[in-house]
Amino acid sequence: MSDMGLVVVGAAGRMGQTLIRTIAAMDGVRLAGAIERPGAPQLGRDAGEIAGAGTCGITVTDDPLPVFAQADGVLDFTSPAATVAFSGYAAQAGVVHVIGTTGCSSADDDRIAAAARHTAIVKSGNMSLGVNLLAVLVEQAARALDPADFDIEVLEMHHRNKVDAPSGTALLLGAAAARGREADLASEAVRVRDGHTGPRRAGSIGFATLRGGSVVGDHSVILAGTGERIVLSHHAEDRVIFARGAIKAALWARGRRPGLYSMRDVLGLG
C-alpha cells in the first residue's frame, strides 16, 4: 500500500508544526496538505520550512476542500468550531479524520458523530499510549475500590496558554473512573470548589486544574482512602507523543468502515 497522505490543519500552531515534523520522520505516511485559517501570515509559505523540517513542496492554504479531496486523512488539533467544520469536509471527501481537539460541547460532539456516519473518525482527549493505558488502570482501580471507602480526584496541569479546563485528558480519566464505578460522570463530577463547600459527597469525582509556564501535560488520579492513597500519574514531556499517536490512529483507521472510534480502539485497550 502506498504511503498515507495526511493533511495537517492548524499547520502553523505548535501542535501542527510537531505533526509536520513527525510525519517527515515516520515511515508509511507523507504530508499531503497544510491548512491555516484565512488571513494567517503563514499562507503561501512552505509547510516544512514553517515547521523547521526543511522544504517539502507543500504550500499552506486556507481552502481545505481541494486538499482533502487529494488526501487519505486529516490530523486535527485545532478548536471546537474548526473541528466541527473539518469533520464535515472530511465526511464529504471520505477521508479519515483524527481529532485531538479538546473543549468540544455536546452539540459539537453530536455534529462530529453525524459526520462519522460517512467516514472513519478517531477522537480522543489524548492521543498518547501512556495516557490511554492509564485510563484503563484508572477504570480497573475505580471498579475494585468501594466508593464509600475511596474518594477520586483528578489533578491536571498545563501550560499558561491552554484555553479549556478541565483538560480533555482529565475528562477522559474522569470518564474512565466513572465507568469503573458504573456511574454517570456528568452527575458525579465536581469541577469547582469555592467558599464553604461542606463535606465531600460520597461517590463524587473531583477535578483540580492548574495552569502555568510551559508544562506540556501532567495528570494524576488520586484514590484517597482512610490512611492510604493510590496515585496513578502520567507526565507528558514532549508533544511528539501526541503526534505519533495521531499518526498511528490515522494508519489504523485507513480503510475502516465509517464510525466514531477512540484511541482505545486503535491501541486494542477496549
Side-chain angles (χ1 to χ4, degrees):
M1 185 178 292
S2 61
D3 287 352
M4 186 175 187
L6 297 175
V7 178
V8 175
V9 296
R14 284 175 299 183
M15 195 62 213
Q17 292 182 45
T18 302
L19 287 164
I20 291 169
R21 291 193 297 270
T22 307
I23 290 170
M26 286 183 67
D27 294 331
V29 292
R30 61 179 175 83
L31 185 65
I35 306 297
E36 258 300 334
R37 68 189 185 282
Q42 297 84 4
L43 294 176
R45 292 181 56 191
D46 186 275
E49 291 181 353
I50 291 171
T55 303
C56 67
I58 299 296
T59 300
V60 179
T61 179
D62 61 2
D63 188 3
L65 278 174
V67 178
F68 284 23
Q70 300 299 316
D72 302 303
V74 178
L75 306 180
D76 181 357
F77 290 74
T78 57
S79 66
T83 290
V84 167
F86 289 135
S87 70
Y89 297 144
Q92 184 176 337
V95 297
V96 170
H97 189 189
V98 177
I99 300 173
T101 302
T102 58
C104 292
S105 67
S106 296
D108 296 331
D109 286 337
D110 288 344
R111 293 180 65 183
I112 291 167
R117 293 199 289 266
H118 305 282
T119 196
I121 295 178
V122 180
K123 183 177 184 295
S124 178
N126 192 295
M127 293 287 171
S128 81
L129 169 61
V131 160
N132 284 279
L133 177 58
L134 175 62
V136 172
L137 298 176
V138 168
E139 182 175 339
Q140 292 175 341
R143 182 176 296 114
L145 301 174
D146 192 326
D149 297 326
F150 281 84
D151 302 315
I152 296 179
E153 291 285 312
V154 182
L155 173 66
E156 58 105 340
M157 182 170 186
H158 283 83
H159 54 87
R160 61 170 61 95
N161 294 316
K162 187 168 178 61
V163 298
D164 58 304
S167 69
T169 303
L171 294 172
L172 181 153
L173 295 172
R179 276 196 305 274
R181 288 182 166 180
E182 298 183 355
D184 175 45
L185 181 61
S187 61
E188 298 296 346
V190 177
R191 298 194 184 189
V192 177
R193 295 188 180 100
D194 185 41
H196 191 282
T197 62
R200 180 192 175 99
R201 176 171 53 83
S204 61
I205 298 173
F207 291 85
T209 297
L210 307 177
R211 294 287 179 267
S214 59
V215 178
V216 174
D218 291 347
H219 295 85
S220 296
V221 178
I222 303 166
L223 300 103
T226 302
E228 61 180 335
R229 279 175 294 161
I230 301 163
V231 182
L232 303 171
S233 299
H234 180 271
H235 303 282
E237 299 174 354
D238 193 322
R239 287 180 178 79
V240 74
I241 64 173
F242 310 130
R244 288 180 186 142
I247 293 168
K248 183 171 183 177
L251 289 167
W252 177 88
R254 188 181 192 183
R256 291 190 184 270
R257 66 187 183 188
L260 185 58
Y261 302 97
S262 72
M263 281 302 288
R264 282 197 177 198
D265 298 313
V266 175
L267 299 171
L269 296 174

